[in-house]
Amino acid sequence: MPSRLKMVSAAVDLFHKNGVNATSVDQILAESGTGKGQFAHYFKNKDGLVRAAITHLHEIVKGGHAPTTYKVRTWKEMDNWFRTYVDYQRSIDFERSCPIGTIGNDLTSEQDDLREEVQTFFNWGRRELAKFFADRVRAGELPARTRPRALADFCMTVVQGGMLLSKINRNPAVFENAAKQASAYIKSLRIRKSPR
């Protein structure tokens, strides 16, 4: 694995586990088996590495290489969407929440450029979900008054809040309750076509 990717992978893992502020460059170098010269060559400073970690995470999720996704294309996928996030947290024993959310939570007011990188990821996720809901409106499966972007915001908020609370509580109960209610609400909006 190239040195740059080793550093980025180690940073992603440590930022996700401990947060950005609790992770030092020295820890990342030790974890990745790389040196300060390589770090300075590729990233210049810690913010450069944080930016690379966010970009790397976005590429993984966008490319469909993560256990969770924002690309929902069918009602079945929507029905299972919340469950994938609960299952993901179970797989890591509720010790972590969203990796990009964790990074975003640690950014200071002086790191607006990095905040924009986090926003870019979440805006992409919102657009993906909103596209699904907009497609369902056009197909006559959701009422014309449906606001796809607002519905996408609702789903994103349930998932992000649910992941955080699961991490804090070390169990999925609150997240599962919220996910079930959100799923039931979305199902209640669907227009059932009467059989002929």
Side-chain angles (χ1 to χ4, degrees), residues 43-112:
F43 306 110
K44 309 293 186 245
N45 55 38
K46 187 175 177 182
D47 278 5
L49 182 53
V50 173
R51 180 176 294 102
I54 295 167
T55 300
H56 183 70
L57 284 165
H58 194 169
E59 288 169 356
I60 288 170
V61 175
K62 200 172 181 180
H65 306 295
T68 55
T69 183
Y70 289 94
K71 292 187 177 184
V72 176
R73 299 296 178 251
T74 67
W75 280 116
K76 184 174 182 179
E77 289 174 353
M78 187 71 241
D79 290 343
N80 293 326
W81 189 72
F82 292 107
R83 171 59 44 199
T84 63
Y85 289 87
V86 175
D87 289 345
Y88 165 71
Q89 287 219 268
R90 277 187 202 284
S91 75
I92 56 172
D93 204 25
F94 309 105
E95 291 184 353
R96 303 178 187 200
S97 59
C98 171
I100 292 185
T102 300
I103 291 170
N105 186 56
D106 251 10
L107 299 179
T108 67
S109 57
E110 289 83 38
Q111 294 173 303
D112 285 338

Side-chain angles (χ1 to χ4, degrees), residues 12 15 29 32 42 50-52 60 79 89 95 97 111 119 122-123 126 131 135 143 150 158 163 175 178-179:
V12 164
F15 292 160
L29 297 179
S32 63
Y42 289 116
V50 173
R51 180 176 294 102
I60 288 170
D79 290 343
Q89 287 219 268
E95 291 184 353
S97 59
Q111 294 173 303
Q119 287 174 332
F122 285 122
N123 287 337
R126 289 169 67 210
K131 180 181 183 314
D135 288 347
V158 169
M163 292 181 81
F175 191 3

Side-chain angles (χ1 to χ4, degrees), residues 28-42:
I28 293 165
L29 297 179
E31 184 74 20
S32 63
T34 57
K36 289 190 177 181
Q38 293 164 313
F39 170 78
H41 172 72
Y42 289 116

Side-chain angles (χ1 to χ4, degrees), residues 154-168:
F154 170 63
C155 292
M156 293 280 287
T157 302
V158 169
V159 162
Q160 288 299 312
M163 292 181 81
L164 177 61
L165 289 172
S166 293
K167 178 186 175 188
I168 291 168

